[in-house]
Amino acid sequence: MNSEAFPKPSPAVPVLLEDWLGNTDRAEVGREAFFRGRDQEYKVFQNAVTRLMNGFVGGGTMIFQGAPGAGKTALMLECMEALRQHSTPDNPWVAVPIEATVLDSVADVIKIMILETNLEIKRLSEVFKSHKPDIMERLKKSGEKLVTTLENFNVTVNLGVVGITRQSKSSNFETSQDIRAETAFRDAASSFENFNLVIFVDEAQNTPVSNLSKSVMNCLHHGIKGISLIAAFLV
């Protein structure tokens, strides 16, 4: 399996990202026994996540290519689990799996990002019940904001542009405004404040060929202002 793109993990405690990515191995905290021989590809993931932590957002796409059965899905699941193992209320990381066929709908991509982030908030709230009250309150408010964002928007696709209709009035949005994917992502950016997101697209060769899917992938590749995000495509 070949990898293109761009630095290993430990127990879920609030430590510097470069420490748990660079100095330990997730085998110590539960790596699946069958996950072997993928050190080079896993290093690509480590480098990309470290770059995101250090503020290098944009141009952070990872592409993993290999024949059927080469272990791409196992690699993806391992990377997702590594993120969960090291996500904390102080420094939350969200693994976002997205089906390739969904990439021609910015509405669905944003919805999945919101749902996965909210699931991580709920998981952290359960795992870190005795954590700092102020941090846990911030997580709670973030979850409420995500739910409101999800409930208040209808997003429809029309000839390569996105029409966002606000169900409730807001000074930040215009009703029934046709906008491009980049604008839709920027409008949703405030919902992901303080979160690091890693988008995973398995079987990326099944991505629909459309103007909108190209726009969505362009946003994921170059980064979205206001969202700490990188993407991994497995082909």
Side-chain angles (χ1 to χ4, degrees), residues 111-157:
K111 287 178 182 178
I112 293 171
M113 290 168 60
I114 289 174
L115 290 171
E116 292 296 335
T117 302
N118 213 26
L119 283 174
E120 179 60 14
I121 289 174
K122 293 178 180 178
R123 190 189 71 83
L124 290 173
S125 298
E126 288 296 318
V127 174
F128 294 87
K129 290 181 179 179
S130 61
H131 206 61
K132 302 174 184 177
D134 57 329
I135 298 296
M136 301 310 292
E137 182 63 23
R138 187 182 72 184
L139 273 181
K140 178 183 177 182
K141 290 182 178 179
S142 295
E144 293 171 351
K145 187 174 184 179
L146 286 162
V147 170
T148 300
T149 301
L150 189 61
E151 291 176 346
N152 285 352
F153 284 90
N154 283 333
V155 187
T156 57
V157 176

Side-chain angles (χ1 to χ4, degrees), residues 47-215:
N47 285 335
V49 175
T50 298
R51 286 173 61 85
L52 182 63
M53 182 65 178
N54 291 334
F56 292 95
V57 181
T61 300
M62 295 167 277
I63 301 176
F64 299 97
Q65 184 178 13
K72 299 186 298 294
T73 299
L75 174 66
M76 181 186 76
L77 295 175
E78 172 62 22
C79 292
M80 291 175 62
E81 182 61 22
L83 292 176
R84 295 189 188 99
Q85 289 278 349
H86 303 95
S87 177
T88 70
D90 306 84
N91 187 26
W93 287 80
V94 185
V96 184
I98 295 180
E99 294 287 338
T101 54
V102 175
L103 291 175
D104 66 344
S105 170
V106 68
D108 289 338
V109 171
I110 291 175
K111 287 178 182 178
I112 293 171
M113 290 168 60
I114 289 174
L115 290 171
E116 292 296 335
T117 302
N118 213 26
L119 283 174
E120 179 60 14
I121 289 174
K122 293 178 180 178
R123 190 189 71 83
L124 290 173
S125 298
E126 288 296 318
V127 174
F128 294 87
K129 290 181 179 179
S130 61
H131 206 61
K132 302 174 184 177
D134 57 329
I135 298 296
M136 301 310 292
E137 182 63 23
R138 187 182 72 184
L139 273 181
K140 178 183 177 182
K141 290 182 178 179
S142 295
E144 293 171 351
K145 187 174 184 179
L146 286 162
V147 170
T148 300
T149 301
L150 189 61
E151 291 176 346
N152 285 352
F153 284 90
N154 283 333
V155 187
T156 57
V157 176
N158 181 23
L159 297 178
V161 297
V162 182
I164 290 186
T165 302
R166 186 69 160 155
Q167 293 180 345
S168 60
K169 294 182 179 180
S170 169
S171 59
N172 295 326
F173 295 86
E174 295 181 21
T175 303
S176 300
Q177 179 186 21
D178 284 337
I179 57 177
R180 296 188 180 277
E182 181 179 1
T183 307
F185 277 112
R186 289 185 184 229
D187 287 343
S190 63
S191 297
F192 303 104
E193 187 178 6
N194 301 317
F195 292 91
N196 299 297
L197 284 74
V198 182
I199 309 294
F200 293 91
V201 182
D202 200 5
E203 303 294 340
Q205 70 272 15
N206 295 325
T207 301
V209 179
S210 68
N211 289 334
L212 188 56
S213 65
K214 292 177 183 177
S215 297

